[in-house]
Amino acid sequence: MTLDVLGAAIGVPAGGAATVTGVTLRASDVRHGDLFAALPGSRAHGADYAAVAVAGGAVAVLTDPDGTRRPALAGVPLLVHPRPREVLGAVAALVHGDPTAHLRVLGVTGTSGKTTTAHLLEAGLAAARRTAGLIGTVGTRIDGRRLPTALTTPEAPDLQALFAVMAEDGVTDVAMEVSSHALTMGRVAGTRFAVAAFTNLSQDHLDFHRDMEDYFEAKATLFDGRAEHAVVCVDDEWGRRLAARTPGAVTVSTTGPAAWRAVDARTGPDGTQSFTALAPDGAQVPVRLQLPGAFNVANAAVALACLDAVGVPAAVAADGFAGVEVPGRMQRIEEGQQFLAIVDYAHKPGAVAALLDALRPQVTGRLIVVLGCGGDRDRGKRPLMGAAAAARAELLIVTDDNPRSEDPAAIRAEMMAGAEAEPRAGDLMEIGDRRAAIAAAVAYAKPGDAVVVAGKGHETGQEVMGVKHPFDDAAELAVALQGTR
């Protein structure tokens, strides 16, 4: 793509001639022919790394007026835009041939349930014999083939390149998680959506968003008309607000009136679930899930409505759902013990409450919970998470999550303050070492109890002072359980 064509597309003149064959915003990743996106940041300006990018083969630079003042850009072909991040997605899409024009993209946003809903979508698409792609927190897959991933929603150049690879590999439909960060930072700009779906909203990411209203408005931008179809779960007030302002939105509910309803939900002794989905045309579709929890009934109903919107029959989709398991989401760890052992990603107050409320009916004994909070993130949710767990567990062990650059003891103290203030709190312990905390929970458990290790889910590292140490909750819990046999 020539630079003048790219400039015309975003409404700025091209400062020089160049033919662009790729796009990146990381100078160290530049390949010959790339456009380097030198974006302003909170700590540094991308243009400070322009010399590295040009030396690596960048043929042009997209930046803002401030970026042009760097000496390294003298004589380099430029696209200068006042808000380059806003146009980066459109530029990347053009360079990669507008790949989502050839794909049906089903985007899922919300605080909880994005990962599970995306996996259900992938399974439903596969059941309909479509070639599916998956983009999300746990991983990226192309027709079942796993690719490495770092962000829930990749940066715009990486995302468009990934879409292009998927299109080349014959993918027809893509299930993807869309985070509020991605929407705010323009990562999905230039992406055509067949379906936009909303699961729910509860407190999270208030280190990034000003307040819950700002968080909601970020999510709502996915429903600004960029998607052909909108599917909204109206089980919470945020969903009802979003549906009311989204013309043509297809509503989903497990609790009240909606276009798609989930009724007669039942849980088996092994935690599996069944329910009946009532479709808008009156059809009754039986659905079975390996995934426990009322919130997963809602996730499955949202997935059914999304798949129906792109022509997948609900009965076919439901067949695909039956075998879905999601790493780190209500993941059972079995080592022959006489109690339930679960690893889950719940890392916000609402998710912790929903997780433990879902497990309570399955547990005849005590709930024993191991939980921490991440550093350098929304501090306001720490006491709320402590309180949510303490109100539902017979024993809560507060431990470290990913402290990052913060003092782990200070994070634990904020959680403990919330837990201790909860009038319904059970026993409380504080064990900073996460491995020791998991071992203590297992040692405390008796037949009929449940040990729940929450917060990190599928993650395989623990970040402390800029260093990521290997740590896998599922593996650590399995090792601890082996000592009980």
Side-chain angles (χ1 to χ4, degrees):
M1 183 69 63
T2 59
L3 200 63
D4 59 339
V5 172
L6 292 176
I10 61 174
V12 300
T19 298
V20 175
T21 56
V23 186
T24 185
L25 46 66
R26 290 179 294 272
S28 58
D29 290 351
V30 164
R31 298 184 180 187
H32 183 75
D34 277 356
L35 171 72
F36 173 55
L39 308 181
S42 58
R43 299 180 182 177
H45 199 295
D48 295 332
Y49 306 95
V52 175
V54 172
V59 296
V61 174
L62 166 67
T63 191
D64 64 356
D66 182 44
T68 63
R69 301 187 181 98
R70 273 58 175 184
L73 291 181
V76 176
L78 298 175
L79 290 177
V80 183
H81 192 279
R83 298 173 301 281
R85 181 173 282 281
E86 291 183 11
V87 299
L88 179 57
V91 167
L94 280 170
V95 171
H96 289 290
D98 194 12
T100 55
H102 313 290
L103 301 167
R104 286 180 291 264
V105 180
L106 294 78
V108 184
T109 197
T111 303
S112 300
K114 295 188 298 296
T115 298
T116 298
T117 302
H119 278 72
L120 290 166
L121 290 172
E122 180 193 34
L125 291 165
R129 300 191 180 279
R130 297 193 183 177
T131 305
L134 175 71
I135 302 172
T137 307
V138 172
T140 294
R141 289 199 288 257
I142 299 178
D143 196 20
R145 188 175 80 251
R146 182 175 293 278
L147 279 72
T149 186
L151 299 172
T152 297
T153 311
E155 290 283 5
D158 301 325
L159 181 62
Q160 295 301 326
L162 177 58
F163 283 141
V165 170
M166 287 182 170
E168 287 177 355
D169 282 3
V171 168
T172 57
D173 302 76
V174 181
M176 72 174 294
E177 299 177 49
V178 184
S179 67
S180 62
H181 289 66
L183 289 160
T184 302
M185 299 175 73
R187 292 179 193 162
V188 293
T191 300
R192 302 169 187 260
F193 287 92
V195 181
F198 176 87
T199 56
N200 53 65
L201 200 75
S202 62
Q203 182 171 333
D204 199 16
H205 303 306
L206 296 191
D207 55 318
F208 182 79
H209 299 287
R210 291 189 305 275
D211 50 31
M212 286 296 292
E213 196 66 30
D214 183 56
Y215 183 30
F216 171 70
E217 290 297 339
K219 296 287 191 185
T221 59
L222 188 60
F223 300 83
D224 61 5
R226 70 182 74 191
E228 295 176 49
H229 305 278
V231 173
V232 180
C233 182
V234 293
D235 281 349
D236 67 17
E237 181 59 33
W238 300 105
R240 291 188 284 274
R241 280 181 58 186
L242 181 60
R245 63 190 251 184
T246 306
V250 175
T251 54
V252 177
S253 182
T254 63
T255 60
W260 284 84
R261 294 178 58 209
V263 300
D264 299 330
R266 298 178 183 179
T267 301
D270 59 352
T272 60
Q273 297 189 95
S274 62
F275 71 93
T276 300
L278 303 182
D281 63 1
Q284 299 186 19
V285 183
V287 181
R288 294 188 61 81
L289 298 173
Q290 294 284 343
L291 306 163
F295 49 87
N296 280 320
V297 172
N299 293 335
V302 167
L304 281 178
C306 291
L307 291 165
D308 176 74
V310 294
V312 176
V316 173
D319 285 344
F321 292 176
V324 172
E325 295 180 350
V326 185
R329 280 27 176 214
M330 283 282 208
Q331 182 179 353
R332 292 169 180 249
I333 309 298
E334 294 289 349
E335 292 290 340
Q337 77 279 3
Q338 294 182 295
F339 52 86
L340 187 62
I342 295 287
V343 169
D344 194 84
Y345 191 51
H347 61 281
K348 44 230 164 195
V352 170
L355 166 67
L356 300 181
D357 287 344
L359 288 172
R360 173 57 69 188
Q362 303 174 43
V363 179
T364 58
R366 302 163 301 171
L367 281 176
I368 303 163
V369 178
V370 177
L371 182 67
C373 281
D376 301 333
R377 298 293 187 269
D378 180 3
R379 290 184 58 180
K381 71 180 183 181
R382 294 172 187 173
L384 300 178
M385 285 177 61
R392 293 165 172 82
E394 277 71 32
L395 171 62
L396 168 62
I397 302 177
V398 172
T399 189
D400 293 343
D401 190 287
N402 292 309
R404 299 185 177 90
S405 70
E406 287 194 60
D407 176 6
I411 298 173
R412 296 196 302 271
E414 292 183 61
M415 288 189 68
M416 287 294 289
E420 290 167 348
E422 170 53 53
R424 297 168 293 171
D427 293 334
L428 303 174
M429 294 176 64
E430 181 180 348
I431 303 175
D433 184 300
R434 193 173 181 91
R435 182 176 289 110
I438 292 171
V442 169
Y444 189 80
K446 293 180 170 58
D449 291 347
V451 171
V452 183
V453 181
K456 290 174 60 60
H458 64 282
E459 295 177 357
T460 56
Q462 185 176 37
E463 187 177 341
V464 183
M465 292 298 173
V467 179
K468 185 167 283 190
H469 304 271
F471 199 98
D472 183 326
D473 277 357
E476 295 294 339
L477 182 53
V479 169
L481 290 170
Q482 288 164 12
T484 67
R485 291 186 299 192

